[in-house]
């Protein structure tokens, strides 16, 4: 029974989580998102899980399967909670990706290169969408929306294997490995694990690094070079999958492999050259139309570090809840990076032996010079730094006596001596009591390193688990604090679906912003206009006289196409929380359109309203 005691905190935490999700109401989210809606037992479950993990992973008598079970429990509580609570998938971008897959399934292909529009970036990097279209047909479901709510859990589990392979390259200490994995999971709040190409590309990125760190850069004979050729084929397959699916990940991979190739241990140029050749081949062929159009803006952003590190979404949070959750997210990332710095400084031998992993953490930083990536570069850099940063942050949390010690040389064995009967009997001093079996000093040091010494101060023993618990709890507001923006109730989904079910070809949909489900549904035949993305002067004109200005903007649509005005709960939340128009201003826009004889109300429910512009008499 003593060997199985970790099952008690694990099952207790999952039971508390199950109770919490059954007693959490998400029908009316506020500016704190899911944080204020969660039942208190959820937080108790996270605390029990973290405590159970900490005491289990530090106990050398426990099998390695127990830390893995706790990490899987953490991922369930972190990434499956929203899938269980919300009846519809989160994120407007996930719905957008579902629309691309639907286009593939219905028309058998994507738009050609001559239609460079808002969706061109998906048309020319179709790898993820083609794979998902095949998966939809394999599973026999109607569309990817049937399973994309669970994608954050799936994509997070996919990261575990390459992450473990990378960490095991530098240490066999399971305490350090699993603490690093835990910190990676709680530090990865950026939200790129949703149904998206980057979620898979990031897992493949880690897979490439695992292959390079474990199978390249080692001097070998002819058979070793033959085995390396096999690994080069595998690496090429992984790189091709990345390059045809995402735009930024290949660039991150190139700078990381370049940093590794400059070290003595991994001075093998095959992975870097292979990646660069595949990357350039795709950019100069399939992706060339998009890159040619985007190149002027890309060149202007090079070197503009101030603009590149600015954030788009969340850069101007409005409201107490939005500001608070934004600061919690920043403090969580800053804490992991500061812990990583402390781990680098205090574990000198670990730093020397794990230099490649330190380079993996630092390599993404130059990308700030290259581009803003749609005001998301700071988030992407944090995500790509996290695998290396979490490893050294874990070293800062473990006591010094539990960190991997330097490998001391084995004691020199004495040279063979002739049999004792042929040697002159020399008088030797008698051993003192208790010294007859004294070990050499080097061997004593090797043995003592496995015996953890107590910390010098009593409170220091509790500091590390408290830091780990604080980081684990901080993940929730960092990851789910904006769910008021990201969640679309079933009524909103039904309203937008009704719009696209009746819209003729070449119709126009006008909305405040693109934060609503199915915003890109049938994008190949319906146009969109989001007025909050227009110039500030035009937005001010709409606020002053909404119905007249919107009617003028929508008047160019020719029959039988129609022009629709859509205002939903998700648009209002996005506009308010990002400091654009407040709910009173948007309510005035809706009331003006509702009172105008130029518009006819088509549908309305608790989540939004839909109007159509009447034909001009």
């Amino acid at each position: 029974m003593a060997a199985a005691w970790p099952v008690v905190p694990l099952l207790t935490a999952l039971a508390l989580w199950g109770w919490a999700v059954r007693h959490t109401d998400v029908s009316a989210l506020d500016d704190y998102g899911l944080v204020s809606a969660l039942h208190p037992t959820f937080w108790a479950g996270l605390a029990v899980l973290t405590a159970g993990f900490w005491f289990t992973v530090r106990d050398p008598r426990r099998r390695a399967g127990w830390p893995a079970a706790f990490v899987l429990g953490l991922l369930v509580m972190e990434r499956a909670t929203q899938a269980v609570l919300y009846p519809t998938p989160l994120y407007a971008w996930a719905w957008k990706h579902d629309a691309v897959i639907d286009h593939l399934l219905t028309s058998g292909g994507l738009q050609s290169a001559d239609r460079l529009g808002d969706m061109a970036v998906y048309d020319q990097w179709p790898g993820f969408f083609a794979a998902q279209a095949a998966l939809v047909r394999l599973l026999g479901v109607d569309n990817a929306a049937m399973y994309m709510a669970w994608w954050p859990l799936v994509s997070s589990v996919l990261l575990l294997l390459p992450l473990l392979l990378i960490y095991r390259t530098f240490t066999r200490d399971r305490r350090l490995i699993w603490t690093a994995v835990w910190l990676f999971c709680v530090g990865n709040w950026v939200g790129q694990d949703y149904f998206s190409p980057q979620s898979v590309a990031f897992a493949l990125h880690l897979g490439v690094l695992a292959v390079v760190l474990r199978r390249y850069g080692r001097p070998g004979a002819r058979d070793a070079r033959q085995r390396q050729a096999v690994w080069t084929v595998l690496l090429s397959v992984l790189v091709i999958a990345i390059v045809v699916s995402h735009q930024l990940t290949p660039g991150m991979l190139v700078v990381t492999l370049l940093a590794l190739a400059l070290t003595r241990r991994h001075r093998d140029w095959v992975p870097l050259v292979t990646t660069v050749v595949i990357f350039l081949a795709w950019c100069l062929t399939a992706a060339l139309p998009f890159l040619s159009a985007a190149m002027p803006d890309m060149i202007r952003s090079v070197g503009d570090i101030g603009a590149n590190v600015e954030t788009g979404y969340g850069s101007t949070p409005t409201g107490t809840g939005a500001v608070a959750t934004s600061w919690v997210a920043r403090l969580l990332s800053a804490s992991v990076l500061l812990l990583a710095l402390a781990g680098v400084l205090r574990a000198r031998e670990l730093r020397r032996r794990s230099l490649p992993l330190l380079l993996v953490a630092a390599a993404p930083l130059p990308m700030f010079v290259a581009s803003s990536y749609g005001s998301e570069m700071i988030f992407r850099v944090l995500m790509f730094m996290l695998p290396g940063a979490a490893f050294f942050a874990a070293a800062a949390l473990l006591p010094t006596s539990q960190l991997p010690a330097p490998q001391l040389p084995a004691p020199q064995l004495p040279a063979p001596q002739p049999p004792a009967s042929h040697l002159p009997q020399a008088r030797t001093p008698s051993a003192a009591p208790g010294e007859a079996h004294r070990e050499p000093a080097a061997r004593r040091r090797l043995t003592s390193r496995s015996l953890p010494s107590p910390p010098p101060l009593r409170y220091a023993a509790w500091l590390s688990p408290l830091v780990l618990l604080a980081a684990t709890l901080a993940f929730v507001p960092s990851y789910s604090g904006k769910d008021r923006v990201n969640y679309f109730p079933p009524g909103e989904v039904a309203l937008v679906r009704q719009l696209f079910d009746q819209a003729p070809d070449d119709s126009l949909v006008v909305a405040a912003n693109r934060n609503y489900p199915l915003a890109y549904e049938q994008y190949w035949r319906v146009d969109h206009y989001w007025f909050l993305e227009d110039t500030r002067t035009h937005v001010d004109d709409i606020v002053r006289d909404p119905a007249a200005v919107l009617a003028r903007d929508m008047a160019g649509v020719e029959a039988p196409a129609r022009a629709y005005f859509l205002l939903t709960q998700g648009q209002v939340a996005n506009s308010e929380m990002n400091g654009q128009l407040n709910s009173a201003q948007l309510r005035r826009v809706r009331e003006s359109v509702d009172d105008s004889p130029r518009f006819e109300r088509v549908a309305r429910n608790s989540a939004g309203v839909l109007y159509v512009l009447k034909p001009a008499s």
Side-chain angles (χ1 to χ4, degrees), residues 473-503:
L473 297 178
F475 171 86
V476 180
S478 303
Y479 185 76
S480 306
K482 296 182 175 66
D483 279 8
R484 184 191 165 207
V485 172
N486 298 324
Y487 168 58
F488 311 112
E492 188 168 357
V493 177
L495 183 68
V496 180
R497 199 177 297 279
Q498 180 178 348
L499 160 63
F500 287 104
D501 285 345
Q502 69 179 41

Side-chain angles (χ1 to χ4, degrees), residues 21 24-30 32-38 78-91 95 145 148-150 152 476 479-490 493 569:
V21 296
T24 296
D25 181 15
V26 297
S27 59
L29 298 175
D30 59 16
Y32 289 92
L34 189 59
V35 178
S36 57
L38 280 169
E78 283 185 346
R79 264 76 182 186
T81 299
Q82 293 165 314
V84 175
L85 287 175
Y86 298 127
T88 59
L90 294 176
Y91 302 111
W95 290 92
M148 68 185 185
W150 293 92
V476 180
Y479 185 76
S480 306
K482 296 182 175 66
D483 279 8
R484 184 191 165 207
V485 172
N486 298 324
Y487 168 58
F488 311 112
V493 177
Q569 174 180 312

